């Protein structure tokens, strides 16, 4: 692992905070009865918590040269990530019908899911690129795409934290959360450029942020 990234797992711990705060009211606060929470939502929550644990653990294992454990856990994600993606779509389907029950039209309800869909697509793209590069032996790109993958979880978790705890409208929480993610990517690009490292993965992730969020604004920020 590049020495500048040796402690990257420590920074990933922030995701635990955002998940705890962002999903406290809609999920954790319902413990232990979890009234009205569907099986799909439970599986989604459990798979995301497992994924967060893996994101934090993997760079720590590399730092302490536990390569075999890192590889075994990495292979487990071949099963876990499809579960995360499928349950994301399951939750989106549920939200679509909830929108219809609130008297939204089909188009309005679909538009309201735009950021959820693009978020899932971004996660899938970064994960696939991370796996492709590790199979090719490009560990530097693999690591950077995994960092990008972590950053893709910032908008939904940090955005919900701002919304539930500060009472901000979703149009503002999404804009702020996406801006934070984009800012971190820009800082990573400048840091790698200064070290003469190839920062292509960060450019790819930043491009996804740009394209998807320009599209979101073009649709009238439908949240």
């Amino acid at each position: 692992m590049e020495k500048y990234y040796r402690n990257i797992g420590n920074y990933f711990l922030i995701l635990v905070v955002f998940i705890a705060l962002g999903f406290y009211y809609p999920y954790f606060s319902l413990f232990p009865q979890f009234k009205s929470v569907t099986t799909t939502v439970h599986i989604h929550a459990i798979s995301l918590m497992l994924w967060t644990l893996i994101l934090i653990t993997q760079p720590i294992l590399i730092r302490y040269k536990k390569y075999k454990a890192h590889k075994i856990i990495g292979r487990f994600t071949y099963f876990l990530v499809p579960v995360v993606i499928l349950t994301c779509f399951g939750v989106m389907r549920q939200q679509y019908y909830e929108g219809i029950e609130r008297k939204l039209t089909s188009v309005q309800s679909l538009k309201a899911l735009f950021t959820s869909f693009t978020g899932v697509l971004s996660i899938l793209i970064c994960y696939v690129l991370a796996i492709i590069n590790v199979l090719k032996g490009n560990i530097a790109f693999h690591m950077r795409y995994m960092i990008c993958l972590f950053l893709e979880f910032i908008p939904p978790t940090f955005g919900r934290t701002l919304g539930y705890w500060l009472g901000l409208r979703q149009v503002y929480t999404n804009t702020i959360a996406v801006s934070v993610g984009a800012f971190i990517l820009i800082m990573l690009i400048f840091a790698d450029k200064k070290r003469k490292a190839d920062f292509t993965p960060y450019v790819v992730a930043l491009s996804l942020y740009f394209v998807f969020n320009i599209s979101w604004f073009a649709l009238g920020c439908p949240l």
Side-chain angles (χ1 to χ4, degrees), residues 185-195 199 202:
L185 284 169
I186 291 170
M187 291 299 98
L188 289 170
I189 288 171
F190 277 114
D192 268 1
K193 186 175 182 180
K194 184 178 180 180
R195 294 192 288 264
F199 48 81
Y202 299 143

Side-chain angles (χ1 to χ4, degrees), residues 194-207:
K194 184 178 180 180
R195 294 192 288 264
K196 296 182 172 22
D198 193 335
F199 48 81
T200 300
Y202 299 143
V203 174
V204 171
L206 189 61
S207 298

Side-chain angles (χ1 to χ4, degrees), residues 98-166:
E98 287 173 355
I100 298 299
E101 290 177 2
R102 295 197 306 269
K103 308 302 181 184
L104 295 178
T105 66
S106 294
V107 173
Q108 289 172 329
S109 195
L110 285 172
K111 281 186 176 182
L113 295 172
F114 182 80
T115 55
S116 296
F117 175 76
T118 55
V120 172
L121 186 57
S122 295
I123 289 169
L124 185 58
I125 291 171
C126 289
Y127 176 75
V128 169
L129 289 173
I131 297 303
I132 288 172
N133 277 283
V134 77
L135 293 176
K136 289 167 58 178
N138 192 337
I139 305 303
F141 271 27
H142 169 72
M143 178 192 67
R144 284 168 174 78
Y145 276 120
M146 291 304 293
I147 292 172
C148 294
L149 188 55
F150 158 75
L151 292 175
E152 289 298 338
F153 283 95
I154 294 295
T157 56
F158 183 46
R160 282 180 173 83
T161 299
L162 294 174
Y164 285 118
W165 293 91
L166 299 182

Side-chain angles (χ1 to χ4, degrees), residues 25-177:
Y25 286 111
Y27 187 75
F28 296 115
S29 67
L30 303 178
F31 178 85
Q33 291 87 5
F34 288 108
K35 291 181 180 178
S36 75
V37 177
T38 64
T39 301
T40 299
V41 172
H42 279 307
I43 297 173
H44 180 61
I46 293 169
S47 62
L48 279 179
M49 285 187 276
L50 277 173
W51 177 247
T52 302
L53 180 62
I54 288 172
L55 276 177
I56 296 167
T57 302
Q58 287 292 72
I60 294 174
L61 290 173
I62 288 294
R63 178 179 178 180
Y64 292 101
K65 298 180 170 42
K66 304 295 183 181
Y67 302 120
K68 185 175 181 180
H70 180 90
K71 186 176 290 187
I72 291 171
I73 293 173
R75 287 173 178 167
F76 173 68
T77 66
Y78 296 169
F79 163 78
L80 180 62
V81 170
V83 173
V84 171
I85 299 298
L86 288 174
T87 56
C88 280
F89 282 114
V91 171
M92 288 165 60
R93 180 178 181 275
Q94 183 175 309
Q95 292 172 336
Y96 169 80
Y97 285 109
E98 287 173 355
I100 298 299
E101 290 177 2
R102 295 197 306 269
K103 308 302 181 184
L104 295 178
T105 66
S106 294
V107 173
Q108 289 172 329
S109 195
L110 285 172
K111 281 186 176 182
L113 295 172
F114 182 80
T115 55
S116 296
F117 175 76
T118 55
V120 172
L121 186 57
S122 295
I123 289 169
L124 185 58
I125 291 171
C126 289
Y127 176 75
V128 169
L129 289 173
I131 297 303
I132 288 172
N133 277 283
V134 77
L135 293 176
K136 289 167 58 178
N138 192 337
I139 305 303
F141 271 27
H142 169 72
M143 178 192 67
R144 284 168 174 78
Y145 276 120
M146 291 304 293
I147 292 172
C148 294
L149 188 55
F150 158 75
L151 292 175
E152 289 298 338
F153 283 95
I154 294 295
T157 56
F158 183 46
R160 282 180 173 83
T161 299
L162 294 174
Y164 285 118
W165 293 91
L166 299 182
L168 298 178
R169 289 177 56 196
Q170 285 181 303
V171 62
Y172 300 125
T173 61
N174 186 70
T175 301
I176 293 170

